[in-house]
Each structure stands twice: as C-alpha cells, then as structure tokens.
Amino acid sequence: MYGFDSYVALGDSFTEGLNDDLPDGTFRGWADRLAEVLAAGRSDFRYANLALRGKMLDEILDEQLPIALELKPDLVTLCAGGNDIIVPGADVDAVTERLEEGVAKLREAGIPVLMFNGPDTKVLSVMSVLRGKVAIYNTNLWAIAERHGARMVDLWTMGPLHDRRAWSDDRLHFSPDAHRRIALKAAEVLGIPVESDWREPWPLAEAPSRWIDSRRSDLTWTKVHLLPWIRRQLRGESMGDGLSPKRPQLAPLLPLDVLEVPDSAPQQQAS
C-alpha cells in the first residue's frame, strides 16, 4: 500500500522495544508499531526484527546486517552505536565511521534505510552528562544520512521526548507512549499518513517534583540500574546474553501481532 512489502529492523534494546511491555511479558516497541502501520492489515506484508538488547555496534553489523543484506527487504531501520558511545572514553567519531560502513553496504545493495539519531538527555538527572557525546554523534549521523541517501528520524528534536514521562525508570529506555510517538514520527518521515499526532502534548503534571525526591530517585536509580550496568561492563557481559531476536525471519504479521494492545496510561511527572 505504501510501497513497502517487507521490513527488517536492526539494532539494540531501543529497536527490540524495551520497555513497551505486552501482557505475555515480551516487548512491542516502536518497530513493531511501525510494522503494523506498514502492513495496514495485509497478509502479504513481511516483517523481521533482529534487534537485541545490549548489542554493541560491531555485533549489530556482524550478526544482523548480513541477514538484512541477504533478505533484501523494501526497508531497513537502523539505530546502533548508543551502547558504544555511553561507555567512558569511547571515541564517538570512530563509532560513526564504523556505522557508516553498514549504512553504505545497505544503500549499495539498493535497500532504503531509515536511521535514528540519539535523543536529548537534558531532562534526565545524571544521564544529562551524555548530551555532548550524543550531540556529536548526531551531527555525524546526519552527515552519513546525507552522503548515502538515508532518511533520518530526529529523536533529538522530538519535543514530547523532552518530558520525563517519555522515559522508563532506568533512564535508558522509553515508556510505551514514547514508543507509540516514535513509531508515528517514523511513519511521518516515510511519508505514511497516520491518524494520531506524535506532537500531542502530555497531560498537565499534578505536582512539580521536589529536590529531595529527585535526589532519592537518583540514589534508587544508581542502585537498581547504574551499578548493575557497571558490573556487566567490567565482566564483559550483556543484557542480551543467551537471548535470541524476537522475529528472526521475515514473516507476515499474524492476527495476534496486530491486536490493539492498550497503551499504558500516561505516567505522572516523575520525581
């Protein structure tokens, strides 16, 4: 219907769909939501999602990219490198040079590519220190997209993502409603009409957060999320160890896949 009969999603936890939970404990995410829009109820549309949480850029290019090149879908979405650049001391320019190799291969194969840049972390306590690295990375990504004729979903300038309610408690992954908005933005970039508007403002917060509540939240986040991440980095472990992609092959969206799953109610302003 929109010129896309097949779609392959490549990436890490962002594209896998954390933390857009389904009732069975799996994740939906913006890529699944976009696939539903692209399918438009057609039984002949095929979709694969090879993304897996914790994957570094080299793993994505070595493990996922060759499959996409072999499948030759009508569309590939690629968001990668985020796990690389948040590591202390990471060379952002080197990461983007490596990413460009993957984009070039896809485009040389005649596959349309939809890229995603990094979101602005200004609203996130502690994580806001990453803004400079993300900004440099994004500038490089825009240049890559221009050089190779790829399209870009600009997460950095998406106003609704500048609200704390767009983020999960781990401050790394998006909330269900943010995933919904990102899927709508991706459809817009592809020129696909949708009924909802990703720009819709969040409901008014009931009360502003207090300084003491924010500091308590920082302590909880450090204990529950940051320290375990540091331990995994030191041990060379990944959240995705032992896991497999949720949709490893191009396959039609089954009726169960496209059932309307109620979005979580908008979160109140987090402290």
Side-chain angles (χ1 to χ4, degrees), residues 156-174:
W156 182 277
T157 61
M158 284 185 66
L161 301 187
H162 301 165
D163 191 292
R164 182 63 183 82
R165 288 168 289 184
W167 297 83
S168 299
D169 290 340
D170 62 12
R171 306 182 187 180
L172 283 174
H173 302 105
F174 288 110

Side-chain angles (χ1 to χ4, degrees), residues 217-229 231:
S217 176
D218 288 344
L219 290 173
T220 299
W221 172 78
T222 298
K223 179 180 179 180
V224 175
H225 299 289
L226 178 60
L227 293 180
W229 180 84
R231 285 194 290 268

Side-chain angles (χ1 to χ4, degrees), residues 94-114:
V95 173
T96 46
E97 287 177 6
R98 180 77 171 106
L99 179 66
E100 183 165 14
E101 296 174 12
V103 175
K105 290 179 179 179
L106 289 166
R107 295 299 295 127
E108 288 168 1
I111 301 173
V113 177
L114 182 65

Side-chain angles (χ1 to χ4, degrees), residues 107-268:
R107 295 299 295 127
E108 288 168 1
I111 301 173
V113 177
L114 182 65
M115 300 172 59
F116 292 73
N117 65 9
D120 189 350
T121 60
K122 181 179 180 179
V123 71
L124 300 175
S125 178
V126 184
M127 295 296 287
S128 60
V129 300
L130 296 173
R131 291 187 78 209
K133 295 177 73 174
V134 176
I136 295 171
Y137 192 58
N138 287 353
T139 300
N140 290 341
L141 290 181
W142 274 109
I144 291 171
E146 182 177 359
R147 282 195 292 268
H148 298 281
R151 301 186 191 185
M152 178 72 75
V153 177
D154 190 355
L155 299 180
W156 182 277
T157 61
M158 284 185 66
L161 301 187
H162 301 165
D163 191 292
R164 182 63 183 82
R165 288 168 289 184
W167 297 83
S168 299
D169 290 340
D170 62 12
R171 306 182 187 180
L172 283 174
H173 302 105
F174 288 110
S175 66
D177 196 62
H179 276 282
R180 180 185 66 85
R181 293 170 185 265
I182 292 168
L184 292 172
K185 172 68 170 179
E188 179 182 281
V189 173
L190 292 172
I192 300 171
V194 290
E195 295 182 359
S196 301
D197 188 353
W198 61 264
R199 302 169 185 81
E200 181 182 358
W202 292 89
L204 292 176
E206 290 185 352
S209 61
R210 299 182 304 166
W211 180 89
I212 187 64
D213 293 331
S214 297
R215 300 295 73 77
R216 288 170 178 166
S217 176
D218 288 344
L219 290 173
T220 299
W221 172 78
T222 298
K223 179 180 179 180
V224 175
H225 299 289
L226 178 60
L227 293 180
W229 180 84
I230 293 174
R231 285 194 290 268
R232 287 195 299 271
Q233 290 294 313
L234 292 175
R235 296 170 182 169
E237 298 174 349
S238 168
M239 290 176 60
D241 288 347
L243 301 179
S244 301
K246 62 181 180 180
R247 295 185 65 94
Q249 299 177 338
L250 276 178
L253 286 170
L254 302 176
L256 180 62
D257 295 324
V258 296
L259 286 174
E260 181 59 31
V261 178
D263 293 314
S264 297
Q267 303 173 14
Q268 297 301 320

Side-chain angles (χ1 to χ4, degrees), residues 13-134:
S13 57
F14 168 67
T15 303
E16 184 184 351
L18 276 69
N19 288 313
D20 187 5
D21 303 277
L22 287 169
D24 64 358
T26 60
F27 299 108
R28 189 183 186 187
W30 67 264
D32 286 13
R33 293 170 181 269
L34 177 61
E36 294 163 15
V37 174
L38 295 173
R42 293 180 298 149
S43 61
D44 61 337
F45 178 84
R46 297 176 301 152
Y47 165 53
N49 190 322
L50 308 179
L52 198 60
R53 69 199 75 173
K55 287 296 182 181
M56 307 296 278
L57 176 59
D58 282 343
E59 294 176 301
I60 293 170
L61 297 183
D62 293 342
E63 300 169 7
Q64 301 176 21
L65 180 66
I67 299 175
L69 290 170
E70 181 178 352
L71 293 174
K72 294 184 178 179
D74 296 328
L75 175 68
V76 162
T77 56
L78 176 62
C79 184
N83 289 328
D84 296 76
I85 68 171
I86 66 175
V87 175
D91 186 334
V92 177
D93 294 326
V95 173
T96 46
E97 287 177 6
R98 180 77 171 106
L99 179 66
E100 183 165 14
E101 296 174 12
V103 175
K105 290 179 179 179
L106 289 166
R107 295 299 295 127
E108 288 168 1
I111 301 173
V113 177
L114 182 65
M115 300 172 59
F116 292 73
N117 65 9
D120 189 350
T121 60
K122 181 179 180 179
V123 71
L124 300 175
S125 178
V126 184
M127 295 296 287
S128 60
V129 300
L130 296 173
R131 291 187 78 209
K133 295 177 73 174
V134 176

